[in-house]
Amino acid sequence: MKAIMYHYVRSYDKSLPFIKYLHIDDFIKQIDYLKNEYGFISKEEFQKCLLSNKPIKGVILTFDDGFKDCYRYVLPELLKRNHWGIFYIPTGPFITGKLLDIHRIHMLLGRYDGKMVSDAIREIVTDDMLSHAKIEEFHTETYLGQNNNADINYVKRLLNYFIGYEYKQSVIDKLMSVYFPNEDDLVQDFYMTKSELEYMHKNGMVLGSHSVSHPAMSKLTIEEQEEEIVSSFQMIESITGKAGLKTYCHPYGGFHTFTTQTEGLLEKHSCLFSFNVESRDINQKDLSSRRQALPRFDCNKFPHGSCRYIE
């Protein structure tokens, strides 16, 4: 049983010439390939797997971050094929009305050359802003499966992992004020709205939690982790009416980004299963003994899954 992860699925946007995305044409080719090669697992079959702890052959599709792309491009293709997907929603934007920091970083790197952004960061960030305890671990464990140059890796590692959370937002604020002075215009068409999520839920899609603010949970206290989990589930359940599968997806993914405490909190709050990022099939042992860290492939591990850069 394979779970496959998607993020940006869209058409070319000339305002973001460097953004990494899966073109909708390639997405269509890939899901047709996956259906022919492995077959899709129905929602009912997947629920039986969860009850029996016995995986079956086939594919489950998952989509992270709640992008408008999912409503605009992905949903019509799934409905056309009478298929379903799991959509993991970070709920912070519904509270703040702003882009999450991780997506602000994507926008900076998507519009501008990585070297330009990395040079700007070096002018702002000082050594005392860094959280040194886990730098070595984060350096060796992050972005190994991505085809990034050194400047992009520097930007993403520093802003997503190395910097102390008390400094992170102010640094990104400074960068955005220079490179995206009209940031508010981005938000309007970036994430799905609540009414769009309600429509997806009514049409058989599963909505799961992707935390509130998309932090690396391993950098938070257990109290902060619990707040991220509980608050996000409350928001999702306000849309779904507590119907469907209660599921979660670890922000960033990888065992360095969450802890056994995170998994314990998910169990405590009756989460049925959670996805990690780990390139292998889901087996019986995963379902029976570690449901809060199920493995999941990136879509780029399969034919037609490569990112496009410039049209």
Side-chain angles (χ1 to χ4, degrees), residues 43-214:
K43 193 194 303 184
E44 292 73 22
E45 289 172 328
F46 182 58
Q47 288 173 308
K48 288 179 181 177
C49 290
L50 294 174
L51 289 172
S52 67
N53 294 331
K54 294 179 180 178
I56 61 174
K57 182 181 178 181
V59 167
I60 304 157
L61 303 179
T62 72
F63 305 85
D64 289 8
D65 293 344
F67 298 134
K68 183 79 76 172
D69 296 349
C70 291
Y71 188 80
R72 183 178 289 132
Y73 297 114
V74 172
L75 181 63
E77 295 301 328
L78 296 185
L79 293 178
K80 192 184 300 183
R81 292 163 174 77
N82 195 30
H83 195 50
W84 65 292
I86 308 176
F87 295 81
Y88 287 105
I89 314 299
T91 58
F94 294 112
I95 301 167
T96 65
K98 297 179 179 180
L99 292 183
L100 295 174
D101 285 342
I102 185 173
H103 300 138
R104 299 166 91 196
I105 296 166
H106 291 170
M107 293 300 98
L108 287 164
L109 291 172
R111 180 169 293 183
Y112 299 99
D113 177 74
K115 187 175 189 310
M116 184 185 299
V117 182
S118 67
D119 286 347
I121 288 173
R122 288 183 173 93
E123 293 293 320
I124 299 171
V125 175
T126 56
D127 189 65
D128 60 296
M129 294 181 180
L130 305 183
S131 179
H132 290 274
K134 289 200 167 193
I135 282 183
E136 184 176 350
E137 177 185 356
F138 286 146
H139 184 80
T140 57
E141 296 291 336
T142 56
Y143 306 116
L144 302 181
Q146 296 185 11
N147 186 25
N148 299 328
N149 63 36
D151 288 306
I152 292 174
N153 272 338
Y154 171 80
V155 172
K156 295 177 80 169
R157 283 178 175 145
L158 189 141
L159 293 180
N160 286 326
Y161 293 102
F162 297 170
I163 197 166
Y165 276 156
E166 65 269 35
Y167 303 109
K168 180 177 181 177
Q169 190 169 75
S170 64
V171 169
I172 298 175
D173 284 346
K174 288 179 183 178
L175 293 169
M176 293 296 286
S177 68
V178 173
Y179 295 111
F180 280 92
N182 298 318
E183 182 183 353
D184 288 349
D185 296 340
L186 286 173
V187 182
Q188 306 306 316
D189 203 41
F190 198 84
Y191 300 110
M192 287 183 280
T193 64
K194 285 187 178 181
S195 61
E196 289 166 344
L197 291 172
E198 288 170 357
Y199 180 83
M200 295 183 80
H201 173 65
K202 289 177 182 176
N203 280 273
M205 306 301 131
V206 172
L207 305 182
S209 162
H210 201 26
S211 79
V212 175
S213 63
H214 202 290

Side-chain angles (χ1 to χ4, degrees), residues 225-247:
Q225 290 189 50
E226 188 161 30
E227 178 62 24
E228 287 278 343
I229 290 168
V230 172
S231 295
S232 62
F233 274 130
Q234 288 174 342
M235 178 71 74
I236 297 299
E237 289 173 355
S238 73
I239 296 169
T240 63
K242 296 188 178 182
L245 302 173
K246 189 171 184 179
T247 177

Side-chain angles (χ1 to χ4, degrees), residues 6 8-10 21-24 26-27 30 299 304-306:
Y6 297 88
Y8 295 101
V9 179
R10 52 172 55 192
Y21 70 103
L22 184 65
H23 195 283
I24 180 58
D26 295 330
F27 173 73
Q30 185 172 78
C299 65
H304 313 294
S306 297

Side-chain angles (χ1 to χ4, degrees), residues 273-289:
F273 63 95
S274 302
F275 279 114
N276 185 20
V277 178
E278 187 183 1
S279 295
R280 64 176 179 84
D281 288 2
I282 299 169
N283 60 42
Q284 186 168 0
K285 186 176 180 181
D286 296 320
L287 292 174
S288 62
S289 63

Side-chain angles (χ1 to χ4, degrees), residues 229 233 237 245-247 264-273 292:
I229 290 168
F233 274 130
E237 289 173 355
L245 302 173
K246 189 171 184 179
T247 177
L265 288 169
L266 291 164
E267 290 287 344
K268 173 183 174 181
H269 293 285
S270 304
C271 180
L272 287 175
F273 63 95
Q292 305 306 340

